[in-house]
Amino acid sequence: MNRSVRLAPVLAAIFLAGLLVVLLALGWFSQRQAEQVRAELLDQSTMAAQLTALQQAADDSGKTELSQASQSALESLAPAVQDVTVTDYEPVEQQLQSTVSALLEVGFTTQDAGDRARALTAVVDVWGAAQQDELTEQAYPDALSDELEQVTSYSCGDEQLTAGVTDSSTAGQVAQPASLLPLQESIYQLNYVSEVYLARAEQGYAPVAEQAAQLALATDRIGQLAAPVLTCYGAFEAPAASYPLAEAADAPQQLTDFTAALEQNARATLADQTLATSADDIKALALILALDSQELAA
C-alpha cells in the first residue's frame, strides 16, 4: 500500500513528462508545417501584396477596369494570401509599372508552374485593363523590354522545352506541350484569311479590307517573331496550304473570332504546366502574343 503510494508521484511525473514530449513534438511539427506552407506561398504572397496595392491605387484614381482586373487576379491566388493589408503604394501610373515588374519577376523566376501561369496571366489582364482605362498607350510594359529584345533577335541556345513529362503513346518519349500547335495554327489562320480578304477587297470584301490589312500586317510580324523561337525549341509547325474562309458578310465576325482565338491560345501557352520552368523564351513569346492579340481585339 505504502509502496503504491510512493510510486504514484513517480508514475504521474513520467506521464506528464511523456505528455510534454508529445505536445512539444506536435508544436514543432505544426511550426514546421506552417513554415513550409509560408515558403510554398511566398511567390503568391508577393503577388497578393502587389495586386492589392495596384487595386487600391486604381480605386483612388477611379480606374474601374484596372481595379476589377486586379481583384480578379487576386482571387486566383490561394485564400490564405488574399487578405493582405497594404498602406504604402504609389500613384496609379507608377504602381502599374511596379506591380507588373514584380509579377514578371515572379513569372520568369518561380519554379512553380502554377504560380508562373498566375503571374504572367495577371500581367496580361492588368495591362489590358490599364489600356482600357487609358492609363497607358504602350503595347508592352517597360519591365518586359529585355525579354522582348531577346525574342526579337533570337538565336538558338541550350533550349529545354518540356518539364520532363513523358507520353506513353510515344514509347515514353518526352511529350510536346499541347498548347504550342494551336497557338501556331491560330497565327496562321488569322494571317491567311486576312491576306485573302485584303486581296479580295474589290470582290465584295471592301468593308473588311481595313481590318484585314491591319491584321495581316500584325500576324505577319507575329509569325516572324515566333518562328525562330519555336524552331530552336523543336516545336515549329509549318502552316497548312489554306484555311476556311467566310462569305463577305461573315468576314468581320470571322476575323474577330480568329483574333480572340489567338489570344486564347497564347493564354493557354502561359498556363501550360508541361513547359519547362526554364523555357523563358517560350513564356516571353506567349506573353508578347497575348498582349498583341489583346490590343488587336480592342
Side-chain angles (χ1 to χ4, degrees):
M1 179 79 177
N2 291 337
R3 184 179 180 186
S4 298
V5 171
R6 288 196 301 271
L7 285 176
V10 176
L11 293 174
I14 293 173
F15 172 76
L16 291 174
L19 181 61
L20 180 61
V21 169
V22 170
L23 291 174
L24 288 173
L26 288 173
W28 177 83
F29 178 76
S30 298
Q31 182 180 0
R32 288 295 300 273
Q33 198 170 37
E35 290 173 354
Q36 182 179 357
V37 170
R38 281 196 296 270
E40 290 175 350
L41 294 177
L42 182 60
D43 286 335
Q44 291 197 41
S45 296
T46 299
M47 288 188 274
Q50 288 291 335
L51 289 166
T52 300
L54 182 58
Q55 183 182 29
Q56 291 179 353
D59 286 341
D60 287 351
S61 55
K63 303 301 182 182
T64 56
E65 295 293 336
L66 184 56
S67 176
Q68 291 172 8
S70 301
Q71 179 61 32
S72 296
L74 190 61
E75 291 173 355
S76 74
L77 305 177
V81 305
Q82 291 182 22
D83 188 15
V84 59
T85 301
V86 175
T87 58
D88 186 18
Y89 51 89
E90 302 169 284
V92 66
E93 292 87 352
Q94 288 76 30
Q95 187 60 55
L96 172 65
Q97 295 287 354
S98 297
T99 294
V100 167
S101 179
L103 292 172
L104 288 171
E105 177 70 17
V106 172
F108 287 117
T109 61
T110 184
Q111 297 301 303
D112 185 284
D115 287 346
R116 174 187 70 197
R118 280 183 280 269
L120 297 182
T121 299
V123 170
V124 178
D125 291 338
V126 300
W127 195 256
Q131 289 174 326
Q132 291 180 53
D133 278 333
E134 300 181 346
L135 271 175
T136 181
E137 294 182 353
Q138 293 177 237
Y140 312 110
D142 292 341
L144 192 60
S145 58
D146 288 345
E147 287 76 15
L148 181 62
E149 182 179 355
Q150 169 74 6
V151 171
T152 302
S153 56
Y154 196 78
S155 58
C156 292
D158 185 19
E159 288 84 359
Q160 179 186 355
L161 180 60
T162 69
V165 178
T166 57
D167 186 350
S168 60
S169 67
T170 56
Q173 295 178 0
V174 176
Q176 294 295 309
S179 63
L180 293 180
L181 179 57
L183 177 60
Q184 294 176 78
E185 286 294 299
S186 62
I187 298 171
Y188 297 147
Q189 69 178 6
L190 182 55
N191 178 259
Y192 178 85
V193 299
S194 298
E195 291 188 345
V196 170
Y197 297 155
L198 180 60
R200 295 182 180 178
E202 296 182 1
Q203 302 173 30
Y205 288 85
V208 80
E210 184 177 351
Q211 182 185 10
Q214 178 190 12
L215 292 173
L217 183 64
T219 50
D220 185 61
R221 182 188 68 82
I222 288 171
Q224 292 180 27
L225 194 68
V229 180
L230 294 170
T231 299
C232 290
Y233 276 87
F236 178 78
E237 296 286 343
S242 64
Y243 292 90
L245 298 170
E247 296 295 332
D250 299 323
Q253 185 61 51
Q254 187 190 49
L255 290 175
T256 298
D257 292 344
F258 281 5
T259 303
L262 176 57
E263 181 183 351
Q264 180 182 354
N265 287 320
R267 286 174 175 270
T269 300
L270 290 178
D272 191 341
Q273 298 193 20
T274 64
L275 279 171
T277 53
S278 61
D280 288 344
D281 304 309
I282 293 288
K283 291 180 283 184
L285 174 65
L287 179 57
I288 291 165
L289 298 192
L291 292 168
D292 282 346
S293 57
Q294 186 171 246
E295 188 171 17
L296 287 172

